[in-house]
Structures are given as structure tokens and as C-alpha cells.
Amino acid sequence: DAKTTQPPSMDCAEGRAANLPCNHSTISGNEYVYWYRQIHSQGPQYIIHGLKNNETNEMASLIITEDRKSSTLILPHATLRDTAVYYCIVRAYNNNDMRFGAGTRLTVKP
Amino acid sequence: KAGVTQTPRYLIKTRGQQVTLSCSPISGHRSVSWYQQTPGQGLQFLFEYFSETQRNKGNFPGRFSGRQFSNSRSEMNVSTLELGDSALYLCASSSQGATYEQYFGPGTRLTVT
């Protein structure tokens, strides 16, 4: 079973920041937060991951609360191509058994 | 660097048959994981192979099996197909590197009639 809770859907205006929340209140000390997205039945695409510090890469930023019980994925300037289902996953660093939840369907609107 | 490739991309089988799907990981990646995606159950982990050994296994019946070859290519087999096995089967590879992120292939769409 997935160890995360995400809103089923969100809308965002093109060019604005998209902030996608994720709750993972039972996360263990050795577990990381990973984010993937899936565009229309393609294979999921890795976005970013983190342990306890905030992380940023060319795609997004990840903000993890100090107690690590929740996080937020930020797409700074959403485009129509960012419309996808976004999955937040908690997993141990070296465990490739990823338990996907239902994810958040993000729709970016013109 | 080439991505993860899966063959075939589409497959139609009838109940009771068996099927073999193939996955070629990114060059240098030694871990291959398999997932099943259906509208009702979402993405579910099947199993993971690393260096020709099954390292993790999800909660699927024994009809679902896999193997990995010395070149890291992997196959999964489903025997005695059921209608409920119709799904998108995804393969993902990862390295033993620092970040352990998985890279997914485009999937094989299996339809059981």
C-alpha cells in the first residue's frame, strides 16, 4: 500500500507556479521522498527526490517540512506540457519496490 | 545514452495463453523492476531483478514470473492469462549510483480477450 496521500486533482494557470502537496506522516528515518510524473500512459518520469533538505533541479523544487511528514513539489512556471499525473512516493534509498498511490492529476490551463 | 526499451509495445492474447515481455535497461544499469498498471489498481510493483537475482517481489500470483540475463536484459512471463491481466506493463531500470532513481520504459500494452 502507498504510504502517501495526495489530492486527486489540481488545476494551474499556464506560467504560474504549481504547488503539489503530499502527506507522508508515517515516513521512516531512512526513507526518501521521490516524485514522478506520468503523461498520458507513457512510462513515469523521474522528477526529483529528497531526504530532509529542500532540493532543486532543472525541473522542479522539493520542499520537505522539518518533521518530514509532508512535502510540496513546485513547478515554478507550469506549461501545458506539465499536464500529467504526479506521484509522490516514499521509499528506502536502496529499495526499488516503489508503492505508487493514485497521484494528483495536474491540469495546466491556458 | 539510449533509454529503456520494451518489446513488444502492443500485444493481444486470449485467455489461457502465456506471454513473454522483454525489457532492455539503460546501458550500465543492473537493476530492472517490473510494474503493472491498470485503471482500477493503478501502478503496482511486480518484482525487481538485480544481477540475475530476484531482489524484491510484489503481491502477485505465481503465474507472474521473471528473469534477468547476464547482460541485464529482463523478461517477464505471465502464464494462463486471465482477462484481468490486461494492463500496461512497465519496466524500469536503475543503477547502483548515488540517487537510485528509476527510469521507465514506454511499456507493453497487453490485451487479453
Side-chain angles (χ1 to χ4, degrees):
Chain A
D1 291 336
K3 299 176 66 174
T4 61
T5 304
Q6 300 176 252
S9 64
M10 293 181 63
D11 290 341
C12 177
E14 188 177 21
R16 305 296 294 268
N19 297 286
L20 291 88
C22 179
N23 287 323
H24 31 80
S25 58
T26 61
I27 191 170
S28 301
N30 68 338
E31 289 180 321
Y32 286 66
V33 179
Y34 281 76
W35 283 83
Y36 283 76
R37 72 181 183 183
Q38 188 173 25
I39 298 173
H40 192 52
S41 293
Q42 298 178 18
Q45 176 190 23
Y46 166 80
I47 300 172
I48 198 168
H49 77 284
L51 182 62
K52 55 184 178 181
N53 297 320
N54 298 338
E55 302 288 344
T56 295
N57 63 20
E58 64 279 4
M59 288 183 67
S61 295
L62 175 59
I63 309 297
I64 302 174
T65 58
E66 192 169 344
D67 63 8
R68 302 208 322 125
K69 292 185 177 182
S70 65
S71 61
T72 301
L73 177 74
I74 301 172
L75 307 178
H77 305 288
T79 70
L80 299 180
R81 288 178 297 178
D82 292 322
T83 292
V85 178
Y86 288 77
Y87 297 99
C88 169
I89 298 153
V90 163
R91 58 174 261 219
Y93 184 66
N94 59 352
N95 185 348
N96 280 330
D97 176 358
M98 294 205 296
R99 304 298 171 111
F100 287 79
T104 295
R105 182 173 297 278
L106 175 69
T107 302
V108 181
K109 298 184 174 181
Chain B
K1 188 185 270 192
V4 178
T5 58
Q6 293 186 244
T7 56
R9 292 293 311 279
Y10 302 91
L11 203 51
I12 300 175
K13 291 286 189 179
T14 56
R15 278 184 302 175
Q17 288 187 313
Q18 74 165 16
V19 66
T20 299
L21 311 181
S22 181
C23 171
S24 292
I26 291 172
S27 177
H29 285 191
R30 296 164 62 190
S31 167
V32 174
S33 298
W34 288 89
Y35 294 82
Q36 181 197 65
Q37 186 171 30
T38 61
Q41 299 296 321
L43 264 161
Q44 296 186 85
F45 173 77
L46 280 156
F47 31 65
E48 181 209 5
Y49 285 86
F50 178 81
S51 292
E52 302 179 65
T53 301
Q54 188 178 86
R55 187 160 70 172
N56 288 299
K57 189 177 189 303
N59 189 27
F60 277 80
R63 299 186 297 108
F64 292 81
S65 62
R67 61 176 175 169
Q68 186 180 33
F69 302 95
S70 58
N71 62 358
S72 294
R73 189 177 69 85
S74 177
E75 290 180 345
M76 70 161 281
N77 184 276
V78 187
S79 63
T80 319
L81 283 166
E82 302 176 358
L83 295 179
D85 297 332
S86 295
L88 180 67
Y89 289 88
L90 292 156
C91 161
S93 75
S94 67
S95 69
Q96 286 286 85
T99 53
Y100 264 97
E101 66 263 28
Q102 293 191 5
Y103 296 89
F104 283 80
T108 293
R109 173 76 59 185
L110 172 65
T111 301
V112 182
T113 62

